[in-house]
Amino acid sequence: MDSLIVAVAQYLPFVIVAAGAVVWLLAPRSGKVAMVVEGVVALAAVGVLILVAASLHADPRPFVVDPSVRPLFAHPADNGFPSDHTALSMTVAALVWVQRRTVGAVLAVLALCVGAARVLAHVHHAQDIIAGAVIGVAAAALGVLVWSLVSHRLPARVTGQAPSPESATSETAATP
């Protein structure tokens, strides 16, 4: 059972990212462009939010608080707040959810499994996981918000979307 916990805690985030990549590959051009912009913004945001949260709150890891607790894998005795593995996994899940609801929901459950496994492996407390999940969703929401604000300002050839009827009318009216 310990080896399953370790595998989920350490390697499931890679599976989540790979699933996100598959969703991106299968998306139409407009979805691909959106996911790239949302992903870049969300990745930057999750990094900043993790750093801010860690500077505002310190939570020693379980094996630091209680030396009789042994982690299931080697880990530095640094601040465990928030869980960056959970934050990154949840960011990918939330971004995928925007494109494919069912796949995104499954990935969100898997992201929570990553967090639970990290608690069971004695490298995080539950509050670290909750904070990581909230940060991941917030970062993804920021990425989606930025895309919604800039996408209509970009040329249709960039976004992969058909030109809107009013922009097509104005272009043909301007051409002699």
Side-chain angles (χ1 to χ4, degrees):
M1 186 62 146
D2 286 354
S3 57
L4 177 62
I5 292 169
V6 170
V8 169
Q10 292 190 305
Y11 303 113
L12 188 56
F14 295 110
V15 173
I16 293 169
V17 169
V22 169
V23 169
W24 180 82
L25 286 170
L26 297 175
R29 178 176 165 86
S30 60
K32 286 180 179 169
V33 175
M35 285 181 78
V36 166
V37 173
E38 292 165 354
V40 168
V41 171
L43 188 59
V46 80
V48 169
L49 290 171
I50 286 170
L51 289 173
V52 168
S55 69
L56 294 175
H57 180 70
D59 184 27
R61 296 189 183 270
F63 61 89
V64 173
V65 174
D66 181 1
S68 68
V69 172
R70 297 282 176 238
L72 296 183
F73 52 87
H75 204 287
D78 57 358
N79 184 10
F81 188 86
S83 168
D84 53 353
H85 288 79
T86 305
L88 291 169
S89 297
M90 192 59 80
T91 300
V92 172
L95 290 173
V96 167
W97 183 82
V98 172
Q99 295 290 323
R100 299 279 185 255
R101 301 269 196 255
T102 303
V103 177
V106 169
L107 294 181
V109 169
L110 293 177
L112 293 174
C113 288
V114 168
R118 295 188 72 78
V119 170
L120 293 172
H122 309 295
V123 295
H124 280 291
H125 293 105
Q127 71 174 354
D128 307 336
I129 304 311
I130 293 166
V134 169
I135 285 170
V137 170
L142 182 62
V144 171
L145 175 65
V146 167
W147 174 249
S148 71
L149 292 174
V150 302
S151 63
H152 69 280
R153 295 180 181 166
L154 299 173
R157 63 177 165 57
V158 172
T159 62
Q161 298 172 345
S164 64
E166 62 261 358
S167 69
T169 306
S170 66
E171 287 175 16
T172 53
T175 308

